[in-house]
Amino acid sequence: MVKARSTPDWMMLGSTLLLLAVGVVMVYSASAVLAFREFGDSLYYLKRQALFAALGIAAMIFTMNADYWIWKKYAKIILIVCFILLVAVLIPGIGVVRGGARSWLGIGSFGIQPSEFMKMGMIVFLSKWLSEQQGSITHFTRGLLLPLGLVGLAFGIIMLQPDLGTGAVLVGASLLIIYTTGARLLHLSYLGLVGILGFVGLIIAAPYRLKRITAFLDPWQDPLGAGYQAIQSLYAIGPGGLVGLGLGMSRQKYSYLPEPQTDFIFSIIAEELGFIGGSFVLLLFTLLVWRGLRTAITAPDTFGSLLATGIVGMIAVQVIINIGVVIGMFPVTGITLPLISAGGSSLTLMLTSIGVLLNISRYSR
């Protein structure tokens, strides 16, 4: 029998709240100019971030105190609802197009992004199914085919929006759960080959992705087009130096760097707070991931261990992709920095997920 719960992992909770606080401050600093130009209110994005941060903290407190086994009970229902919402986005008149992608459901400036819900829904379902089928995971048809099929289906629907960044996070976190369960490396290698072929197919289907690849290799080939974001991001990071230009003193946020409050907020952090500020943020993420992995290792049951692994994987993959794009290691793709970037459903869902992780930590051995 699982032991009685204790206090949550305070280091994990502390790093989460510190990252959230840094995010609120930096969202205001990065967005004040843009918000005043577009809405006549320099506090526009700050107000939204504070609202969703408050909602997210409330959700985190709830999930931190709700025993995580409840998610196992409703895993199938959660996944079905997530698929329904994901398909609804693609229906004209229901889905809302923002930033060139039909990824939203909502009215006006408020909406939800079903792909964010799908990430957590898939993690919950895979954790339940694989914890019950752990003995057959080494068999492709009996153990591996169903989870891979569900992940592939969700990824395919997300790519119809299209949203490669969110799809990559979903696949990365899901594969981490599958590998942790004990899947054979040979099967995963074949899957990797199929993934490469699929990636080539995605490039052929949408030539703009090829432009992003060539811009990644040499952004100066098209400095005012495909390479613009990468160049402006590096222009922000470079002058930051060791200690930065000072909080609020960014030059790139004056309509040079696109999306300074979301996808490229780490560029503004590096510009204003320098290497020290950027390293502090990375240190907080490292602490969060480390304590999350510790929770996964010491969880009292297989479901809790896989669930914690998936949540940590979701956070880590998203951080790696976002910062990799910002510093020029990966091609540009739209993905936010967890707990830092301006967001609605993404921020709330991330805090809700961390609340589940904190609840698991309360039962750790």
Side-chain angles (χ1 to χ4, degrees):
M1 191 68 182
V2 179
K3 72 174 186 178
R5 66 185 184 184
S6 58
T7 57
D9 188 316
W10 292 110
M11 293 179 68
M12 189 194 307
L13 179 59
S15 60
T16 298
L17 294 178
L18 279 174
L19 284 167
L20 187 62
V22 170
V24 171
V25 172
M26 292 311 303
V27 162
Y28 171 66
S29 180
S31 68
V33 175
L34 177 66
F36 185 78
R37 187 188 70 196
E38 294 188 350
F39 305 102
D41 180 7
S42 60
L43 300 177
Y44 177 81
Y45 287 104
L46 174 63
K47 293 174 183 176
R48 285 175 55 88
Q49 188 75 353
L51 172 62
F52 287 112
L55 292 174
I57 289 175
M60 182 178 70
I61 292 173
F62 173 78
T63 53
M64 183 175 65
N65 290 284
D67 293 340
Y68 66 89
W69 295 288
I70 192 173
W71 302 104
K72 184 176 184 179
K73 181 179 179 182
Y74 297 105
K76 291 182 180 179
I77 297 175
I78 292 172
L79 187 66
I80 292 172
V81 171
C82 288
F83 268 114
I84 292 174
L85 293 175
L86 210 57
V87 172
V89 166
L90 302 176
I91 301 175
I94 297 179
V96 178
V97 178
R98 294 181 183 176
R102 188 181 292 275
S103 305
W104 298 84
L105 295 174
I107 300 174
S109 60
F110 287 92
I112 62 170
Q113 195 171 4
S115 56
E116 294 290 337
F117 290 83
M118 174 55 77
K119 289 189 297 187
M120 189 58 186
M122 185 63 71
I123 289 171
V124 171
F125 179 81
L126 290 180
S127 300
K128 173 190 182 301
W129 197 86
L130 292 172
S131 65
E132 296 172 348
Q133 305 291 330
Q134 192 172 4
S136 60
I137 192 63
T138 55
H139 299 276
F140 184 80
T141 54
R142 283 192 293 146
L144 201 57
L145 188 58
L146 176 62
L148 288 181
L150 288 172
V151 173
L153 177 61
F155 178 76
I157 298 174
I158 290 173
M159 287 308 300
L160 292 175
Q161 298 176 2
D163 189 352
L164 179 59
T166 301
V169 174
L170 171 74
V171 172
S174 300
L175 289 181
L176 182 60
I177 297 174
I178 293 171
Y179 174 74
T180 302
T181 309
R184 296 176 61 186
L185 286 176
L186 180 63
H187 292 157
L188 296 180
S189 299
Y190 289 150
L191 178 64
L193 179 60
V194 173
I196 293 174
L197 295 175
F199 183 71
V200 173
L202 289 173
I203 293 176
I204 296 174
Y208 77 88
R209 294 193 181 103
L210 181 59
K211 290 184 179 179
R212 288 188 175 184
I213 297 296
T214 56
F216 160 66
L217 297 174
D218 184 8
W220 292 102
Q221 287 184 356
D222 189 8
L224 298 179
Y228 181 79
Q229 290 175 303
I231 292 172
Q232 297 303 319
S233 177
L234 295 178
Y235 276 162
I237 295 173
L242 181 64
V243 297
L245 302 178
L247 184 63
M249 302 302 294
S250 166
R251 295 189 288 259
Q252 288 301 102
K253 67 184 179 183
Y254 285 87
S255 302
Y256 294 106
L257 180 64
E259 305 296 337
Q261 79 283 8
T262 53
D263 299 351
F264 287 92
I265 194 169
F266 189 77
S267 303
I268 304 300
I269 292 175
E271 184 182 14
E272 294 189 350
L273 305 181
F275 177 80
I276 294 176
S279 297
F280 177 69
V281 170
L282 292 178
L283 179 63
L284 290 176
F285 277 120
T286 302
L287 178 61
L288 176 59
V289 170
W290 166 51
R291 301 305 293 186
L293 288 175
R294 182 182 181 278
T295 296
I297 293 171
T298 59
D301 61 349
T302 304
F303 171 71
S305 180
L306 295 178
L307 185 58
T309 299
I311 294 172
V312 171
M314 176 178 66
I315 297 170
V317 171
Q318 194 162 329
V319 170
I320 291 170
I321 293 177
N322 177 273
I323 294 182
V325 168
V326 164
I327 64 177
M329 290 183 62
F330 301 142
V332 173
T333 182
I335 190 169
T336 57
L337 187 60
L339 302 172
I340 301 287
S341 296
S345 54
S346 59
L347 177 61
T348 305
L349 263 293
M350 182 59 66
L351 287 168
T352 302
S353 303
I354 293 175
V356 176
L357 190 59
L358 286 166
N359 182 259
I360 299 172
S361 74
R362 302 184 71 171
Y363 293 95
S364 296
R365 295 190 300 272

